[in-house]
């Protein structure tokens, strides 16, 4: 029997990464968990985010997955290295792939970073970008209103436009040519963000590069699935499945079965 790829996030944001994995690796099965009941993680202390991240990681590990993708920047920043060390399967996050992708696109080395308060405070993107190219100048900005907007299913309306404009206006004077969406919820706001900032700024989300990394690792390990082995994807949420289901259908355009689950600390 084929083993699935585990994907996790504090809520529905990781679906933006799951979508890329499904697109690039259509033979693979995904097991997804979103900790909707405790989302957002962004404003929480890092010790709490770490605890919740571990609970999700153990849950997915117990589903016999062959690889784990921490599709949450906030969780990646605080727990990736620990989980990589503890697990005997490959574990990747979304920060290095996002940084790599931004470096590929920038021409003037001025890169904006949007993220949750936790991710921005951690400076994980700055470290990743400057490791790759020390001349990079970064312009970080925490966007605490974005995740609640997306989790409430309001990512496309006039309220979203207003909040995006109010939050991003300081970026207009920075002369960045590339902007990292350093939270996996933000690609749901990408059309509005792009419209507000205009076409001179390339907006990067880490899903595409993360999926490439999944593909490369599984190919190297000889663990890519063959088409005939594929089973249905499985989606778990710790909270209400209503908005999770709506966004998942809209974003993934798939018929999904969504199961509620309780983690030890829920
Ligand atoms: N989607 C998550 C991230 O990439 C976190 C959102 C949150 O729970 O605050 O950072």
């Amino acid at each position: 029997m084929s083993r699935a790829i585990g994907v996790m996030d504090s809520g529905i944001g990781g679906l933006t990464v799951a979508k890329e994995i499904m697109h690039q690796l259509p033979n693979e099965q995904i097991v997804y968990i979103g900790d909707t009941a405790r989302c957002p993680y962004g404003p929480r202390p890092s010790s709490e985010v770490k605890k919740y991240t571990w609970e999700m990681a153990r849950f997915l590990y117990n589903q016999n997955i062959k690889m784990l993708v921490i599709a949450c920047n906030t969780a990646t920043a605080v727990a990736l290295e620990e989980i990589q060390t503890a697990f005997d399967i490959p574990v990747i996050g979304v920060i290095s792939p996002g940084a790599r992708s931004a470096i590929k696109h920038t021409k003037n080395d001025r890169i904006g970073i949007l993220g949750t308060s936790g991710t921005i405070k951690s400076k994980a993107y700055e470290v990743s970008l400057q490791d790759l190219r020390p001349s990079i100048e970064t312009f970080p900005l925490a966007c605490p209103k974005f995740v609640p907007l997306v989790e409430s299913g309001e990512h496309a309306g006039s309220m979203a436009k207003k909040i995006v404009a109010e939050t991003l206006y300081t970026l207009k004077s920075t002369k960045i040519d590339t902007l990292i969406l350093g939270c996996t919820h933000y690609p749901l706001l990408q059309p509005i963000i792009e419209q507000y900032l205009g076409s001179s700024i390339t907006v990067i989300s880490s899903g595409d590069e993360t999926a490439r990394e999944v593909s490369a690792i599984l190919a190297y390990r000889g663990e890519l699935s063959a088409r005939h082995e594929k089973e249905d994807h499985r989606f778990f949420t710790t909270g209400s499945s209503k908005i999770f289901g709506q966004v998942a259908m809209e974003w993934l355009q798939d018929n999904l079965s969504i199961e509620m689950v309780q983690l030890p600390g829920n």
Side-chain angles (χ1 to χ4, degrees), residues 19-250:
K19 180 179 180 166
E20 276 303 329
I21 298 173
M22 288 173 188
H23 178 68
Q24 292 185 32
L25 297 168
N27 295 341
E28 298 296 332
Q29 184 203 0
I30 286 179
V31 183
Y32 183 97
I33 182 166
D35 193 5
T36 316
R38 298 183 296 197
C39 187
Y41 281 10
R44 295 181 186 274
S46 57
S47 55
E48 203 167 41
V49 174
K50 197 184 268 193
K51 179 171 173 282
Y52 296 170
T53 304
W54 265 110
E55 287 174 11
M56 285 198 288
R58 283 195 199 97
F59 171 80
L60 288 177
Y61 187 82
N62 290 336
Q63 309 295 314
N64 191 30
I65 52 172
K66 60 184 171 187
M67 175 166 188
L68 174 63
V69 180
I70 304 180
C72 173
N73 293 264
T74 316
T76 298
V78 298
L80 175 66
E81 281 174 28
E82 248 186 52
I83 298 175
Q84 276 174 332
T85 309
F87 281 7
D88 55 0
I89 53 170
V91 180
I92 64 166
V94 279
I95 291 180
S96 300
R100 273 201 310 270
S101 187
I103 293 274
K104 266 193 241 165
H105 285 88
T106 185
K107 293 198 168 60
N108 71 0
D109 283 3
R110 295 170 77 83
I111 299 180
I113 304 157
L114 305 185
T116 66
S117 308
T119 301
I120 296 300
K121 231 183 279 164
S122 77
K123 297 197 187 304
Y125 270 104
E126 282 91 326
V127 170
S128 232
L129 287 164
Q130 273 146 12
D131 275 356
L132 291 166
R133 195 183 295 163
S135 59
I136 292 289
E137 244 189 292
T138 53
F139 298 86
L141 181 64
C143 309
K145 291 191 179 161
F146 285 9
V147 169
L149 193 67
V150 172
E151 283 289 324
S152 62
E154 303 283 331
H155 53 273
S158 55
M159 176 65 98
K161 281 191 183 153
K162 185 168 173 281
I163 290 178
V164 164
E166 276 169 12
T167 310
L168 302 191
Y169 80 94
T170 53
L171 285 180
K172 291 242 179 181
S173 57
T174 55
K175 299 198 173 72
I176 55 168
D177 71 350
T178 305
L179 177 68
I180 298 174
L181 301 183
C183 170
T184 53
H185 281 72
Y186 299 176
L188 286 148
L189 294 165
Q190 190 161 343
I192 295 180
I193 293 173
E194 285 177 336
Q195 197 184 22
Y196 177 72
L197 291 176
S199 56
S200 60
I201 297 178
T202 305
V203 177
I204 304 284
S205 57
S206 49
D208 181 37
E209 190 75 20
T210 303
R212 257 197 289 274
E213 193 172 334
V214 172
S215 173
I217 291 172
L218 291 180
Y220 176 76
R221 293 168 65 89
E223 287 181 353
L224 285 167
S225 293
R227 178 166 283 278
H228 65 272
E229 294 178 312
K230 184 174 176 281
E231 292 170 36
D232 287 338
H233 303 301
R234 296 184 74 190
F235 295 86
F236 293 91
T237 170
T238 58
S240 152
S241 56
K242 193 163 164 264
I243 289 181
F244 189 100
Q246 275 167 13
V247 175
M249 299 275 226
E250 178 191 331

